[in-house]
Amino acid sequence: MIGRLLRRRSDPLRRWRRRIEDFENLSIHCRHMSRRGSSSSSSSRIVLGIETSCDDTAVAIVSSEGEILSNVVASQWDLQSEYKGIHPMMSSREHEKNLPYVIERAVEESGVGDIGNVDAVAVTSGPGLALCLQIGLDAAKEICLEHDLPLYSIHHIEAHTLVPRIENTVQFPFLALITSGGHTLLVHVESHGVYRRLGTTVDDAAGEAFDKVARMLRLTDSFVGHGGVALQNAALNGNASRCPARLPVPLRRNAKHSKTCDFSFSGLKTAVLYAIREYDESTFFEDTSMVNDFAASFQDVAVQHLVDRTRKAIELCERENLDMSCLVVSGGVAANTLLRERLSDLTSNHDLNLAFPPLSLCTDNGVMIAWAAHEAIRSSSPPSALISKDEISALQISPRWPFGI
């Protein structure tokens, strides 16, 4: 299967060899993580997870004990720099080029030998970018049909929600804040498959706002990585109180949403744009201190909003006697240091534990997809395994797959 996918690729192999060097630091880290995990027993199940819902081509192999045997991710920083964001068609083409090699690398690092030696394959079926989801699903189908393996169709947000449980420190029920580039929502998790949505974004996601403001401030021009990381780095050297722009905390004066657990980041993002336009362009961007202060101010307000809404969700759960073992925070923005600090203060005030996935599992990855399949197997609840050729062949992507009720 991998050989056939490799032959489909038009790029010369030397381009892959250059990319292999980009994987080295990640691969070393993943091997270190797997040694920290518990040893796999002879009865352990091994699942290969594939994630291509947006711009990261990710594959991992994970045991039912939570041992990460391999975790490989190919990102598209050069492409995002060229297009000033994610271009769905170009991203899908990168997935098509990279996925065969990422699968090959993940299998090689895992020590399972042949890809047919895994017990199942799990793949993100939605939500996400349709063109990107299709690449991952097609590959997963081909692997399963060729090697007679069961296939698990995984919900991307459910995977983010459950991955903190891989370290066996999070027990049901819990409250989850999922905050990433494409999604921001609060969910009460009663058990596997039982999710009550308490709040969601009415426009942009938090991670999208972080990335776009980083581009507005030109922080990504010479930075390789997520815009949110570049913005956080600049904010560390800035002072929010020194910023001349007074950015509004979203929804605090909105009659409809002020008392809900919903989020909004579109107005905050626009406020930054208009504030920048008040200055001469050359003067503004030459003043590094000013740019850093703007970054610090945006981050401060965005984090205030996330914490404010999470507080409302905690209070809602307390009023309605919804049990919570802890607050789980997952998704790319969960790596933000200021957010972690302020949520720590919040949960301490409510005598609530706080849990995050490892930093390497905050952004999109194949580990969370494989682990979501293990959770489904363990609980004997949906998604059920697709076993027959007809079932596997009939599986379709769900770009707008809702989460929770």
Side-chain angles (χ1 to χ4, degrees):
M1 171 268 169
I2 293 178
R4 287 205 299 274
L5 286 177
L6 289 175
R7 287 194 291 273
R8 292 178 192 169
R9 180 181 171 137
S10 60
D11 281 8
L13 194 57
R14 59 185 174 82
R15 184 178 178 188
W16 159 248
R17 293 193 183 102
R18 289 200 303 272
R19 282 187 175 155
I20 279 288
E21 296 175 1
D22 296 335
F23 294 155
E24 287 304 319
N25 291 335
L26 175 63
S27 301
I28 292 169
H29 174 63
C30 291
R31 286 196 291 269
H32 180 62
M33 286 179 63
S34 68
R35 286 197 295 269
R36 287 205 311 258
S38 57
S39 299
S40 298
S41 65
S42 58
S43 61
S44 174
R45 294 182 301 273
I46 306 296
V47 174
L48 181 146
I50 299 175
E51 157 61 30
T52 62
S53 66
C54 192
D55 58 326
D56 288 327
T57 309
V59 178
I61 297 180
V62 180
S63 77
S64 50
E65 290 80 16
E67 183 178 2
I68 300 171
L69 303 178
S70 63
N71 179 21
V72 182
V73 181
S75 297
Q76 301 177 8
W77 308 127
D78 291 344
L79 193 66
Q80 289 187 33
S81 177
E82 180 181 352
Y83 287 96
K84 307 300 181 185
I86 297 170
H87 188 295
M89 179 173 289
M90 298 307 296
S91 290
S92 70
R93 290 177 180 176
E94 285 296 295
H95 285 309
E96 189 171 19
K97 294 174 185 176
N98 292 337
L99 186 55
Y101 298 112
V102 175
I103 293 173
E104 185 176 55
R105 184 68 178 268
V107 172
E108 178 185 338
E109 287 190 1
S110 71
V112 299
D114 184 77
I115 195 170
N117 291 334
V118 303
D119 296 298
V121 175
V123 63
T124 306
S125 297
L129 301 175
L131 292 173
C132 298
L133 289 166
Q134 194 66 56
I135 301 300
L137 180 59
D138 288 347
K141 285 182 176 182
E142 190 166 345
I143 293 170
C144 291
L145 292 173
E146 182 169 331
H147 296 279
D148 194 23
L149 295 171
L151 177 61
Y152 286 85
S153 172
I154 302 300
H155 194 295
H156 181 82
I157 302 175
E158 182 178 41
H160 271 306
T161 303
L162 297 175
V163 73
R165 284 173 44 83
I166 198 169
E167 296 187 330
N168 294 318
T169 58
V170 177
Q171 303 299 319
F172 295 122
F174 58 85
L175 176 66
L177 168 63
I178 311 302
T179 176
S180 66
H183 313 279
T184 303
L185 66 163
L186 284 155
V187 179
H188 181 262
V189 182
E190 180 65 31
S191 60
H192 182 271
V194 183
Y195 310 116
R196 177 181 169 183
R197 189 174 61 251
L198 305 180
T200 187
T201 181
V202 298
D203 41 57
D204 296 342
E208 178 186 2
F210 270 82
D211 289 344
K212 287 186 175 179
V213 170
R215 286 197 291 274
M216 289 179 197
L217 296 174
R218 300 185 182 177
L219 298 172
T220 58
D221 289 359
S222 58
F223 181 83
V224 178
H226 289 285
V229 178
L231 189 140
Q232 176 178 252
N233 292 343
L236 288 172
N237 296 312
N239 186 329
S241 62
R242 197 170 56 205
C243 179
R246 291 294 173 258
L247 302 177
V249 178
L251 300 183
R252 280 195 176 173
R253 298 181 180 179
N254 185 296
K256 180 180 179 181
H257 293 286
S258 61
K259 296 182 180 181
T260 72
C261 301
D262 290 334
F263 302 89
S264 172
F265 290 94
S266 179
L268 175 58
K269 181 184 66 180
T270 303
V272 175
L273 177 63
Y274 287 160
I276 293 173
R277 287 179 177 174
E278 294 292 322
Y279 297 87
D280 177 75
E281 184 174 309
S282 59
T283 303
F284 180 86
F285 290 107
E286 287 176 2
D287 188 344
T288 303
S289 177
M290 175 79 82
V291 171
N292 291 342
D293 290 345
F294 264 74
S297 181
F298 167 81
Q299 178 181 249
D300 177 69
V301 173
V303 168
Q304 280 188 58
H305 184 45
L306 288 166
V307 173
D308 182 47
R309 298 291 139 165
T310 304
R311 179 186 296 106
K312 292 180 184 296
I314 292 173
E315 292 170 351
L316 174 62
C317 290
E318 290 173 343
R319 286 197 306 273
E320 298 192 7
N321 295 317
L322 297 175
D323 290 336
M324 299 173 287
S325 66
C326 65
L327 170 66
V328 161
V329 187
S330 194
V333 183
N336 182 274
T337 302
L338 183 63
L339 178 63
R340 287 174 172 242
E341 292 173 354
R342 292 190 179 173
L343 286 176
S344 179
D345 293 339
L346 173 65
T347 51
S348 294
N349 292 337
H350 286 268
D351 196 24
L352 192 62
N353 292 325
L354 180 61
F356 297 89
L359 283 174
S360 62
L361 302 184
C362 287
T363 52
D364 292 351
N365 60 86
V367 172
M368 68 182 195
I369 305 306
W371 183 250
H374 283 304
E375 290 271 11
I377 295 168
R378 182 183 300 171
S379 66
S380 300
S381 60
S384 301
L386 304 178
I387 298 174
S388 72
K389 291 185 177 180
D390 288 343
E391 287 178 323
I392 293 171
S393 299
L395 179 62
Q396 300 293 317
I397 59 171
S398 301
R400 298 185 179 276
W401 195 353
F403 184 68
I405 57 173

